[in-house]
Amino acid sequence: MSTVQSVDRALDVLEALADHGGEAGLSEIAARTGLPYGTIHRLLRALLVRGYVHQESDRRYALGSALVRLGGAAERMVGVRAQPYLEKLVDLSGETANLAVMEGDFVVYVAQAASPRRLRMFAEVGRRVLPHSTAVGKVLLAERPDAAAVLERTGLPRRTEHTITSVGAMLAELEAVRARGYAMDLGEEELGVHCLAVPVRDGSRVIAGMSISGPMERIEALDRDELAQGLRRIAEEFGAEVRPPGGS
């Protein structure tokens, strides 16, 4: 393999692991990448040496700790680039805007633009929450092929009386999210707080969720479909900016 081809295929292997929730067997990597087993073995050996992959006791492969440093730096840069778009969301809605990504089974808030109103909502940058009780979590989870497995692992703990705690009910909710193109958190993470979120795509992949959040009464007074349309437009603008060359 040429050097460039080797790099390209190594990235395919890492993306295959990410697509399987962070760990996968050799056959799953082969099915996802279309690469021969011998090629995958050689790539995995190189990635193991550098700490980008590690092997579990059951011989499955998982994303390694060396990616944490890269991921943290990338998240910070994505947050910086997202700031002007989050401010557009604030101008559109009058409410606090957030950007969040999925890390394993958790949602992590990576950027925020605050509402100018005296009574406003905050989700601290760096805060980690489970996805089932937040709007950003739902739009991120809706695109995961392993959504049911994530929900089984996390157990859907109840945050408020409105939290969805059944795997079946949450899968139905995620189907509705995919159909309408946005997600709602109706006091499911915190009583009295409502959120609306849309996915950010860098082509065909969902890489983040953008949301606005505020007091229930103010969010409910807005036209939900019109608001979602505005959020989608801004999320599409941001996605186009961060889309890799040739991304689709």
Side-chain angles (χ1 to χ4, degrees):
M1 288 187 292
S2 69
T3 301
V4 172
Q5 187 182 50
S6 296
V7 171
D8 195 44
R9 289 180 171 182
L11 293 173
D12 286 341
V13 169
L14 291 174
E15 289 181 356
L17 289 170
D19 288 343
H20 280 86
E23 69 172 39
L26 195 63
S27 62
E28 293 168 319
I29 297 171
R32 174 67 176 79
T33 63
L35 295 173
Y37 278 44
T39 299
I40 296 171
H41 270 299
R42 289 194 296 275
L43 295 168
L44 285 169
R45 281 200 299 270
L47 292 168
L48 281 163
V49 169
R50 298 293 296 270
Y52 293 111
V53 167
H54 75 269
Q55 193 168 23
E56 306 284 0
S57 58
D58 60 1
R59 303 188 66 78
R60 288 170 66 81
Y61 293 91
L63 296 175
S65 58
L67 290 168
V68 174
R69 178 173 60 86
L70 298 182
E75 284 177 4
R76 287 191 294 274
M77 291 310 300
V78 169
V80 170
R81 296 175 72 180
Q83 206 63 38
Y85 298 93
L86 296 178
E87 290 168 4
K88 287 184 180 182
L89 292 184
V90 175
D91 291 341
L92 175 72
S93 65
E95 303 297 346
T96 296
N98 298 288
L99 183 77
V101 300
M102 199 88 171
E103 284 187 2
D105 292 347
F106 288 86
V107 170
V108 181
Y109 291 91
V110 296
Q112 182 178 92
S115 166
R117 297 180 173 180
R118 181 173 299 176
L119 178 60
R120 55 193 179 188
M121 301 298 111
F122 284 100
E124 294 179 2
V125 172
R127 181 185 177 202
R128 294 163 59 87
V129 297
L130 291 173
H132 70 288
S133 57
T134 63
V136 284
K138 290 177 186 178
V139 295
L140 292 167
L141 202 55
E143 299 295 328
R144 291 274 296 258
D146 62 340
V150 172
L151 294 171
E152 292 285 357
R153 286 195 298 269
T154 61
L156 291 85
R158 184 178 299 280
R159 296 287 297 164
T160 76
E161 63 193 59
H162 304 299
T163 307
I164 298 172
T165 57
S166 156
V167 172
M170 181 53 65
L171 291 176
E173 171 79 354
L174 297 180
E175 181 62 34
V177 169
R178 288 190 290 271
R180 65 176 178 252
Y182 67 88
M184 293 293 300
D185 160 14
L186 303 175
E188 296 156 56
E189 173 68 16
E190 186 175 345
L191 285 175
V193 178
H194 282 195
C195 307
L196 188 151
V198 298
V200 177
R201 301 177 188 272
D202 69 345
S204 59
R205 301 180 308 169
V206 172
I207 60 167
M210 273 186 169
S211 71
I212 59 100
S213 59
M216 175 182 65
E217 296 81 3
R218 294 206 308 245
I219 300 297
E220 289 302 300
L222 299 171
D223 184 308
R224 188 176 297 179
D225 291 331
E226 184 178 328
L227 179 61
Q229 184 177 356
L231 264 67
R232 278 195 294 265
R233 173 178 52 79
I234 294 168
E236 287 169 4
E237 291 174 2
F238 178 55
E241 180 180 324
V242 298
R243 184 176 303 152
S248 60

